[in-house]
Amino acid sequence: MEQKITACVCIYNENNEILVLRRSLEKELFPWLWEIPGWHVEYWETLEEWLKREIKEELNLEIEIWEIVHVFTYVHPNKEKKKHYIEVDFLCKISNPDFEIILNPKDHIEYKWLQEKDIAITKNNTEYNGTYEALVKAFKKLN
């Protein structure tokens, strides 16, 4: 079984809204679902180094990492894939005030800034509800 570490971020803005991205229909795993930004970690970097670099490259955002808000594991729903994921979710603040979010359409097709009252859009009918759980914990930290 292959094991992967994923680092994700609950990035909040000056209005205490958190960024979520809608996965592309081309994605094999969980297409069209809303999620917080994150990717699989490369072996040669720390989680923090990797996150800052990846968020800048993938979304054109600079972040200040605050703390871990959620950690969980899940197994790929297709058992034949034999993949086990460990996800670490961080609370982060935008550190570049003049930004323009850029999306890669192969990964994500749209983004939203969510208020706490709107996080139900991230719930889904799979065993994987990590985004929703991370958002609940992140908003508690912000309040």
Side-chain angles (χ1 to χ4, degrees):
M1 178 175 279
E2 180 182 5
Q3 195 170 55
K4 292 187 175 250
I5 297 173
T6 304
C8 296
V9 287
C10 295
I11 302 171
Y12 71 94
N13 64 18
E14 69 279 354
N15 299 319
N16 281 358
E17 299 166 317
I18 296 178
L19 179 68
V20 293
L21 311 173
R22 187 184 290 270
R23 292 174 67 86
S24 165
L25 284 172
E26 296 176 30
K27 300 298 276 185
E28 174 193 358
L29 189 61
F30 310 124
W32 202 244
L33 295 182
W34 289 99
E35 66 180 356
I36 54 177
W39 294 268
H40 303 298
V41 178
E42 302 294 341
Y43 291 109
W44 56 86
E45 293 178 295
T46 68
L47 289 175
E48 292 86 355
E49 291 170 338
W50 179 84
L51 267 175
K52 286 181 177 184
R53 182 183 55 73
E54 198 69 18
I55 295 298
K56 179 67 177 165
E57 288 176 8
E58 296 291 334
L59 298 174
N60 193 39
L61 292 175
E62 294 174 12
I63 57 172
E64 176 185 325
I65 298 173
W66 278 27
E67 63 185 284
I68 294 172
V69 291
H70 187 57
V71 178
F72 67 102
T73 69
Y74 59 99
V75 176
H76 195 291
N78 180 344
K79 303 296 184 209
E80 293 175 12
K81 296 278 184 181
K82 297 185 178 180
K83 290 184 181 177
H84 176 230
Y85 299 90
I86 300 169
E87 183 169 314
V88 181
D89 300 328
F90 292 84
L91 180 61
C92 301
K93 180 181 179 180
I94 294 174
S95 60
N96 58 327
D98 299 322
F99 63 87
E100 178 184 344
I101 294 176
I102 299 171
L103 299 177
N104 177 346
K106 289 184 179 181
D107 293 328
H108 300 100
I109 58 165
E110 66 179 302
Y111 70 90
K112 284 186 182 191
W113 290 98
L114 290 186
Q115 296 178 350
E116 185 172 13
K117 66 180 179 60
D118 300 321
I119 65 175
I121 68 164
T122 66
K123 278 190 170 183
N124 59 64
N125 296 327
T126 70
E127 295 175 17
Y128 171 81
N129 271 300
T131 291
Y132 177 80
E133 293 163 11
L135 287 168
V136 167
K137 292 177 180 181
F139 276 114
K140 280 185 184 178
K141 297 278 185 182
L142 291 176
N143 294 328

